[in-house]
């Protein structure tokens, strides 16, 4: 007996084994008997052709080999939401009750004391207890009978509906409208049709705070149309949707605190200006968008932009930023505290990663976390102090001067180093002696000549060593282990400054470089074990 084809099969999502696709054709195919479904597969490798057979085009595919024909009995059109919930949580009518030992009965994995209760009523109680529900990959395709969800699962607040067979946003509304206190909803990995007009609004999401729409093929225009029904939304995840253009969100998304646009194709950093007035946005994730530059034209150097007024955390890793000017621009953001920027071409401009981090820290004044590492006050001071020294010669050559009345560096210099004047006010202009023979950022210039002593072993003669200032304490211990033939893990290191006699500073963090502790040429490292 042939499988029945749903009357609304065209455009529906189906799965066949582990493969997902969309029905693009229902009907006969020349020189064959019976009904066929023409399916465009999510994975083109599952397909065989572009929707044509023996010269006749039955449907169209985006990929030349993304389609194939299957019999209806091979296609799974899915189940309703409540059936999936019962199956997932072991509360299906066919398997809801197993008698345990003594006076107990087992519902799914939960054992309940048996007191002559009715199994249907108990099943109802179990479903009503569910607050956080995941039916990921459970082939959910529709809401089911009207009001059945609200009668059965009244206390749901968090629902994971990702990677199912939902074909349209209307289906999501039909489910959500029955969940009165819905706060979190994940419908990622469902290729859906979204609203094309703002005429249809719903109160289904009146309490929704977190929404994930990753890999749903939604456009930004569709986001703004749907957003009219998200009055208090705080977090919105839109990764991997091939979003290429943005529009200004007028009167929607005004409560948004987090926006994830990673793995899209915004390319032009100026697109960001269109979402820059979201008043409460604190976190913006722009990973892997092909962005090559960032610019806030409303503010000059040393001034703060009016864009992104609340933005505290920004992720721009895995993009195509290659110029320091984009890092300079980030200092204009008034609230920025945390930045992720690794895996950009800019990161290849310096061989020493420590130097690179120092430059970024010095350029962005309020930054507290860089690439998930906390910036300690001593680290910031060292970075800013070194920055002022490293570019001192450039400053002088560009018209900088120790005399404030004669200090007039060129516009070009100030554009490249907008914080330099501020750092000079903070730490004083670099002294002439600091700049003599300066060779910025070369390895030779980063070598420290240190005396190494063992105070508890007077018979051990002091040793002089040249060590890179970027060398971590852990690596220094490894070197000393080989030098003195002692286990590195047992070493305790400290140093005495040649400028501060009698003061000893512990080198107590194995992961920090020597320069973190402001060690200078001629200082003495003390080794104990």
């Amino acid at each position: 007996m042939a499988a029945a084809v749903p009357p609304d099969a065209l455009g529906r999502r189906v799965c066949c084994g582990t493969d997902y696709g969309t029905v693009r054709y229902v009907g006969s195919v020349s020189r064959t008997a019976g009904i066929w479904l023409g399916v465009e597969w999510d994975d083109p490798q599952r397909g065989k052709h572009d929707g044509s057979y023996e010269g006749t085009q039955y449907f169209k595919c985006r990929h030349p080999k993304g389609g194939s024909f299957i019999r209806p009995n091979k296609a799974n059109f899915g189940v309703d939401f409540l059936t999936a919930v019962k199956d997932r949580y072991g509360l299906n009518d066919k398997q809801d009750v197993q008698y345990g030992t003594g006076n107990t009965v087992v519902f799914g994995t939960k054992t309940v004391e048996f007191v002559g209760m009715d199994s249907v009523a108990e099943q109802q109680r179990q479903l009503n207890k569910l607050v956080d529900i995941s039916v990921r990959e459970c082939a959910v395709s529709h809401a089911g009978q009207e009001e059945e969800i609200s009668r059965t699962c009244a206390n749901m607040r968090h629902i994971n509906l990702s990677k199912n067979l939902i074909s349209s946003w209307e289906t999501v509304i039909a489910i959500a409208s029955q969940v009165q206190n819905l706060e979190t909803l994940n419908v990622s990995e469902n290729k859906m049709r979204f609203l094309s007009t703002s005429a249809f609004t719903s109160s289904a999401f009146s309490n929704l705070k977190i929404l994930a729409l990753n890999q749903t093929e939604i456009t930004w225009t569709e986001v703004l149309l749907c957003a009219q029904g998200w009055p208090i939304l705080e977090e919105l995840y839109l990764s991997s949707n091939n979003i290429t253009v943005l529009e200004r969100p007028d009167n929607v998304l005004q409560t948004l605190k987090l926006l994830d646009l990673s793995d899209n194709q915004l390319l032009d950093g100026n697109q960001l200006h269109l979402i820059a007035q979201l008043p409460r946005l604190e976190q913006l994730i722009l990973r892997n968008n092909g962005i090559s530059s960032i610019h806030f034209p409303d503010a000059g150097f040393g001034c703060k932009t009016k864009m992104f007024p609340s933005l505290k955390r920004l992720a721009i890793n895995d993009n195509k930023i290659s110029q320091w000017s984009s890092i300079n621009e980030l200092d204009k953001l008034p609230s920025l505290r945390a930045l992720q920027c690794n895996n950009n071409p800019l990161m290849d401009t310096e061989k020493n990663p420590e130097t690179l981090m120092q430059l970024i820290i010095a350029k962005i004044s309020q930054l507290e976390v860089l690439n998930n590492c906390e910036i300690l006050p001593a680290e910031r001071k060292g970075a800013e102090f070194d920055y002022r020294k490293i570019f001192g010669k450039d400053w002088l050559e560009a018209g900088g001067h120790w005399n404030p009345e004669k200090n007039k560096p060129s516009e070009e210099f100030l554009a490249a180093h907008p914080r330099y004047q501020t750092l000079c006010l903070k730490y004083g202009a670099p002294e002439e002696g600091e700049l003599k023979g300066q060779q910025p950022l070369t390895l030779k210039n980063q070598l420290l000549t240190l005396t190494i002593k063992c105070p508890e072993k007077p018979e051990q003669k002091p040793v002089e060593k040249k060590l890179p200032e970027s060398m971590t304490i852990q690596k220094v211990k490894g070197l000393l282990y080989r030098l003195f033939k002692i286990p590195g893990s047992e070493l305790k290191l400290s140093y005495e400054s040649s400028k501060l006699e009698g003061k000893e500073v512990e080198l107590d963090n194995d992961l920090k470089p020597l320069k973190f502790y402001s060690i200078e040429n001629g200082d003495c490292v003390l080794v104990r074990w």
Side-chain angles (χ1 to χ4, degrees):
M1 183 177 171
V5 178
D8 62 345
L10 204 61
R12 285 271 298 268
R13 297 282 291 163
V14 293
C15 62
C16 182
T18 58
D19 295 302
Y20 288 71
T22 304
V23 178
R24 300 296 185 201
Y25 174 79
V26 180
S28 59
V29 174
S30 64
R31 296 204 294 174
T32 65
I35 298 296
W36 292 89
L37 302 178
V39 179
E40 181 180 10
W41 300 102
D42 294 355
D43 179 4
Q45 292 184 344
R46 169 66 173 81
K48 296 177 180 178
H49 49 70
D50 65 350
S52 59
Y53 179 72
E54 292 192 346
T56 302
Q57 186 89 42
Y58 291 91
F59 62 98
K60 291 183 179 179
C61 291
R62 280 176 284 190
H63 192 277
K65 291 208 169 178
S68 69
F69 293 102
I70 62 171
R71 291 296 190 184
N73 64 349
K74 298 288 186 186
N76 179 1
F77 280 91
V79 298
D80 67 88
F81 176 78
L82 211 51
T83 297
V85 171
K86 290 177 180 179
D87 285 348
R88 170 57 62 89
Y89 292 93
L91 294 167
N92 198 303
D93 291 336
K94 297 172 186 173
Q95 59 191 52
D96 57 340
V97 178
Q98 302 166 28
Y99 289 97
T101 56
N103 293 328
T104 65
V105 77
V106 179
F107 293 91
T109 56
K110 189 175 177 68
T111 303
V112 181
E113 190 176 349
F114 180 65
V115 285
M117 63 194 166
D118 175 72
S119 64
V120 176
E122 177 58 26
Q123 182 196 65
Q124 177 66 62
R125 281 194 289 274
Q126 295 300 316
L127 286 168
N128 263 325
K129 286 180 183 177
L130 294 174
V131 174
D132 192 335
I133 285 180
S134 175
V135 282
R136 175 177 169 82
E137 288 190 87
C138 288
V140 176
S141 62
H142 54 287
Q145 292 180 16
E146 201 171 335
E147 301 307 319
E148 190 178 13
I149 298 170
S150 56
R151 285 197 303 268
T152 312
C153 301
N155 293 305
M156 284 190 297
R157 290 177 184 269
H158 314 284
I159 301 177
N160 183 351
L161 268 167
S162 60
K163 204 169 185 181
N164 278 290
L165 299 176
I166 296 168
S167 304
S168 72
W169 184 244
E170 281 86 347
T171 299
V172 179
I173 291 173
I175 294 170
S177 61
Q178 299 184 56
V179 185
Q180 190 174 359
N181 297 308
L182 184 62
E183 293 178 16
T184 306
L185 178 62
N186 184 354
V187 285
S188 300
E189 299 174 80
N190 287 286
K191 294 183 189 294
M192 285 183 275
R193 295 184 303 277
F194 288 90
L195 304 179
S196 56
T197 171
S198 59
F200 182 73
T201 54
S202 166
S203 60
F205 308 104
S206 57
N207 292 307
L208 192 67
K209 292 181 180 177
I210 300 171
L211 176 60
L213 289 166
N214 305 320
Q215 296 181 55
T216 55
E217 298 191 344
I218 194 169
T219 66
W220 184 253
T221 302
E222 291 166 342
V223 168
L224 298 186
L225 285 170
C226 294
Q228 295 177 43
W230 310 332
I232 64 166
L233 193 68
E234 294 180 359
E235 297 183 16
L236 179 58
Y237 298 85
L238 296 169
S239 76
S240 305
N241 281 308
N242 201 31
I243 293 171
T244 55
V245 291
L246 300 176
E247 299 169 44
R248 201 177 301 281
D250 294 323
N251 302 317
V252 292
L253 302 179
Q254 299 300 298
T255 56
L256 208 59
K257 292 181 180 179
L258 181 153
L259 177 59
D260 182 358
L261 286 165
S262 57
D263 296 304
N264 285 292
Q265 285 297 306
L266 292 173
L267 302 179
D268 180 7
N270 289 331
Q271 286 284 320
L272 302 180
H273 300 166
L274 296 167
I275 57 170
Q277 301 308 323
L278 291 171
R280 299 185 191 175
L281 190 66
E282 295 179 2
Q283 185 169 357
L284 180 59
I285 305 167
L286 297 168
R287 183 178 56 80
N288 190 28
N289 262 279
I291 294 170
S292 56
S293 66
I294 294 173
H295 182 44
F296 303 113
D298 68 319
F301 293 116
C303 302
K304 297 300 182 186
T305 177
K306 291 180 179 177
M307 299 185 186
F308 297 106
S310 303
L311 191 65
K312 294 179 182 177
R313 295 180 291 281
L314 176 64
I316 51 172
N317 34 328
D318 300 294
N319 277 288
K320 295 180 179 177
I321 295 168
S322 59
Q323 301 295 321
W324 280 105
S325 57
S326 291
I327 301 297
N328 291 338
E329 288 290 315
L330 297 180
D331 189 49
K332 295 179 181 179
L333 291 167
S335 303
L336 188 65
R337 297 294 181 271
L339 175 67
Q340 288 184 31
C341 61
N342 35 11
N343 297 332
N344 277 283
L346 179 70
M347 303 295 116
D348 300 327
T349 59
E350 297 294 341
K351 290 180 181 177
N352 187 336
E354 288 286 341
T355 300
L356 191 77
M357 295 301 103
Q358 276 197 311
L359 292 174
I360 295 170
I361 291 166
K363 282 178 174 288
I364 306 176
S365 58
Q366 299 171 110
L367 211 57
E368 295 172 358
V369 179
L370 178 57
N371 294 334
N372 296 320
C373 294
E374 184 184 358
I375 301 166
L376 299 173
E379 208 169 354
R380 169 161 292 286
K381 184 177 179 180
E384 293 179 341
F385 199 81
D386 286 354
Y387 187 93
R388 160 195 150 282
K389 189 162 61 174
I390 286 165
F391 296 102
K393 281 187 76 176
D394 294 345
W395 171 70
L396 286 174
E397 289 168 7
H401 200 278
W402 291 281
N403 184 339
E405 292 178 9
K406 296 179 181 179
N407 181 26
K408 294 177 182 177
S410 67
E411 286 295 317
E412 188 182 6
F413 178 84
L414 292 176
H417 308 283
R419 288 203 70 222
Y420 197 86
Q421 297 282 71
T422 305
L423 296 180
C424 285
L425 287 171
K426 189 173 180 180
Y427 301 106
E431 295 174 16
E432 195 170 1
E434 291 180 87
L435 307 179
K436 278 185 179 176
Q438 182 89 9
Q439 294 177 314
L441 310 183
T442 63
L443 181 59
K444 185 179 178 183
N445 207 46
Q446 293 171 37
L447 287 174
L448 298 169
T449 303
L450 303 173
T451 302
I452 298 170
K453 291 182 181 177
C454 303
E456 294 170 1
K457 298 271 184 179
E459 69 276 10
Q460 183 81 52
K461 291 182 180 179
V463 179
E464 194 173 272
K465 280 281 178 187
K466 288 185 185 292
L467 302 177
E469 61 178 14
S470 61
M471 195 174 200
T472 63
I473 302 304
Q474 194 169 36
K475 288 182 179 176
V476 173
K477 285 182 177 179
L479 177 78
L480 295 175
Y481 163 65
R482 293 190 294 274
L483 193 66
F484 296 122
K485 307 278 193 300
I486 45 176
S489 59
E490 294 178 14
L491 290 184
K492 290 182 182 176
L493 303 186
S494 58
Y495 85 95
E496 287 179 341
S497 171
S498 55
K499 295 177 182 176
L500 298 167
E501 285 188 28
K503 187 178 180 184
E504 196 174 322
V505 179
E506 272 190 67
L507 305 176
D508 53 359
N509 189 332
D510 282 359
L511 301 177
K512 292 295 181 186
L514 287 167
K515 66 180 174 185
F516 173 77
Y517 292 97
S518 303
I519 296 179
E520 297 179 342
N521 279 321
D523 288 352
C524 182
V525 175
L526 305 173
V527 187
R528 295 182 175 88
W529 64 89

